[in-house]
Amino acid sequence: MTTKTYDAIVVGARVAGAPTAMLLARKGYQVLLVDRATFPSDTISTHLVHPPGVDALERWGLLDGVVATGCPPIDTYAFDFGPFTLSGSPAGNGARVGYAPRRTVLDKLLLDAASDAGAEVRQGFSVEAVVSENGRVTGVRGHDKGGANITEHARVVVGADGRHSLVAHAVSPEQYHAKPPLLAAYYAYWRGLPMEGCFETYVRPSRGMAAWPTNDDLTVVIAGWPYAEFEANKKDIEGNFLKSFDLAPAFAERLRAGARETRFVGTAVANYLRKPYGPGWALVGDAGYNKDFITAQGIHDAFRDAELCVTALHETFSGGRSFDAAMADYRTARDRHVLPMYEFTTELATLEPPPPELQALLAAMPGNQDAMDGFARVNAGVTSPAEFFSHENVERIMSQSEAVTAVH
Ligand SMILES: Cc1cc2nc3c(=O)[nH]c(=O)nc-3n(C[C@H](O)[C@H](O)[C@H](O)COP(=O)(O)OP(=O)(O)OC[C@H]3O[C@@H](n4cnc5c(N)ncnc54)[C@H](O)[C@@H]3O)c2cc1C
């Protein structure tokens, strides 16, 4: 047991934890960042980072590092619904493109940035328990690989330890808007499948498929089906994966012309929001909020959590505001931002046919570049679904389509 008290101990050093530690350390706080993994380290994720996440990397001075790895930019999002394709730009207010850096690349870069900022980093350190005194979290107990138990103390323990968060389990936060797993999906990396800067998705009855480029001239290819088929389809993942792509024959041909380089990896995830703070603790990233990966929002959501949580902790540590008031703002801002996307994502993840009004809206968009860009921006997390699907915007798109039909 040591006598030092850190300002914060951050458990989990990937896309939520490393930026949280980095931003706190940049403000001069004493931070201990721990992870049981050693980096570079892969994790289950298809790692598409939409423009809002790219913006965050740029703000933090880390985008050049990602670009220098040769990871190609993605400037076009194409949604193939069978009868028509909606193709648009996801350009946000700042970044105009997305990137999909391998997690071995991205997470290591973020970890190094935390260390460079002055955070003390312990890799290969497993947290076994959260330590509390009088109902308040005061630290963690854990060990290095093969080492003895060590207890460390902090003013705040931040759980950035993912979907199976030990910190969240220990503090039992209120959970809300919970939904069960809806989709099961598997991915692998292909060589010889050029994507020309495009994120392509294919929407078919009870199937969703997508592909996009990453480091080392590889392409991520993913296929998903309803969770109800999870158990049955597990018996032949490759067969079911390829059968899904047969529903998009032109892409299936491109897939067959390339070569699969890796094994299939896949899963299904639960959907929830958790209260992200309490006495002596906070949650960021998947530990506090998780949703199906069909819209690939997890990384930029984790980045936003890191910024919001650090703003709140700074307000508390610097004596300006109470912990509860500052962290309540973090929660409100997070929930307000993510809830419309959470509902949109969990609807998409059912892979059920869209309701008739949405089908009519989608069918009205081909040829309307503004509308298709708008749809790409919704999927990229740039524009809120609440804004895009507002009565006013839907009316505008429908009337533009009617005007075009009338002219022809
Ligand atoms: C199949 C799939 C595909 C996805 N694709 C995308 C995508 O394309 N784009 C996107 O934005 N998001 C995607 N996501 C979501 C995204 O991967 C997550 O939202 C993101 O990884 C969450 O980051 P995190 O830092 O909160 O947690 P994690 O990335 O899960 O990291 C948690 C870390 O905590 C450490 N840890 C856990 N417990 C302990 C402990 N007791 N002691 C020490 N360390 C501990 C772990 O070792 C791990 O390194 C996908 C998710 C899945 C499942």
Side-chain angles (χ1 to χ4, degrees):
M1 171 148 166
T2 62
T3 50
K4 178 169 182 172
T5 298
Y6 294 93
D7 291 310
I9 295 173
V10 182
V11 184
R14 293 189 187 272
V15 293
T20 303
M22 175 192 75
L23 295 171
L24 281 169
R26 285 183 179 178
K27 290 190 183 300
Y29 295 110
Q30 301 259 308
V31 184
L32 174 63
L33 173 63
V34 303
D35 201 300
R36 64 180 165 218
T38 54
F39 294 81
S41 155
D42 208 354
T43 187
I44 182 162
S45 173
T46 49
H47 48 81
L48 175 59
V49 184
H50 295 300
V54 175
D55 272 345
L57 291 167
E58 173 117 65
R59 261 196 310 282
W60 301 337
L62 304 178
L63 181 58
D64 287 349
V66 172
V67 174
T69 67
C71 187
I74 300 171
D75 60 12
T76 305
Y77 287 16
F79 305 88
D80 178 322
F81 290 93
F84 57 85
T85 298
L86 304 179
S87 181
S89 157
N93 301 330
R96 312 203 60 75
V97 296
Y99 285 92
R102 291 292 295 263
R103 295 292 294 263
T104 41
V105 168
L106 179 65
D107 296 7
K108 171 80 169 114
L109 205 125
L110 294 167
L111 182 89
D112 288 348
S115 173
D116 292 346
E120 183 181 329
V121 176
R122 273 188 223 164
Q123 304 182 45
F125 185 91
S126 299
V127 172
E128 273 181 6
V130 163
V131 177
S132 302
E133 282 165 35
N134 304 321
R136 178 181 183 79
V137 170
T138 55
V140 299
R141 191 174 66 246
H143 59 85
D144 293 316
K145 277 195 178 110
N149 272 336
I150 305 166
T151 300
E152 298 287 4
H153 288 102
R155 294 159 81 183
V156 174
V157 170
V158 181
D161 47 348
R163 283 182 286 125
H164 307 292
S165 169
L166 175 141
V167 176
H169 190 252
V171 298
S172 302
E174 175 200 346
Q175 185 158 295
Y176 44 106
H177 295 296
K179 298 181 188 182
L182 301 165
L183 171 89
Y186 292 84
Y187 67 93
Y189 296 89
W190 251 256
R191 188 168 298 285
L193 179 56
M195 296 302 295
E196 314 298 349
C198 192
F199 160 74
E200 292 180 28
T201 77
Y202 295 86
V203 184
R204 296 292 184 271
S206 297
R207 291 293 179 272
M209 294 81 76
W212 57 96
T214 181
N215 293 96
D216 306 320
D217 296 323
L218 293 175
T219 295
V220 188
V221 189
I222 185 164
W225 35 80
Y227 185 67
E229 298 180 39
F230 186 38
E231 284 305 322
N233 289 1
K234 249 197 227 169
K235 291 170 199 135
D236 180 12
I237 290 166
E238 179 169 20
N240 284 296
F241 184 96
L242 295 174
K243 233 191 289 168
S244 303
F245 278 105
D246 285 342
L247 299 169
F251 187 84
E253 205 169 300
R254 283 162 59 198
L255 197 64
R256 277 193 294 271
R260 180 160 64 87
E261 287 266 312
T262 64
R263 68 192 175 96
F264 288 103
V265 176
T267 191
V269 303
N271 305 276
Y272 55 79
L273 281 92
R274 292 175 178 149
K275 182 181 174 189
Y277 69 97
W281 59 269
L283 301 174
V284 288
D286 284 4
Y289 158 55
N290 193 51
K291 64 274 140 196
D292 194 274
F293 43 84
I294 192 165
T295 49
Q297 305 291 302
I299 295 172
H300 72 227
D301 279 348
F303 288 174
R304 186 185 326 100
D305 277 7
E307 287 187 325
L308 291 172
C309 182
V310 167
T311 299
L313 289 176
H314 177 52
E315 287 171 359
T316 309
F317 291 159
S318 59
R321 299 184 72 196
S322 74
F323 178 81
D324 280 352
M327 295 301 277
D329 280 359
Y330 159 44
R331 176 193 191 173
T332 304
R334 180 197 70 174
D335 289 7
R336 195 177 44 226
H337 196 100
V338 303
L339 270 171
M341 195 60 179
Y342 182 77
E343 292 303 332
F344 181 61
T345 299
T346 49
E347 268 171 40
L348 285 183
T350 63
L351 297 179
E352 281 170 12
E357 320 80 67
L358 179 54
Q359 288 190 32
L361 177 68
L362 295 172
M365 280 194 243
N368 180 341
Q369 196 56 53
D370 272 357
M372 293 193 293
D373 289 345
F375 187 66
R377 283 198 297 273
V378 170
N379 286 272
V382 171
T383 306
S384 170
E387 193 184 316
F388 186 78
F389 295 112
S390 68
H391 182 68
E392 201 184 26
N393 197 42
V394 169
E395 287 282 291
R396 183 167 41 239
I397 294 170
M398 296 307 288
S399 63
Q400 284 163 346
S401 159
E402 279 156 21
V404 171
T405 314
V407 168
H408 292 89

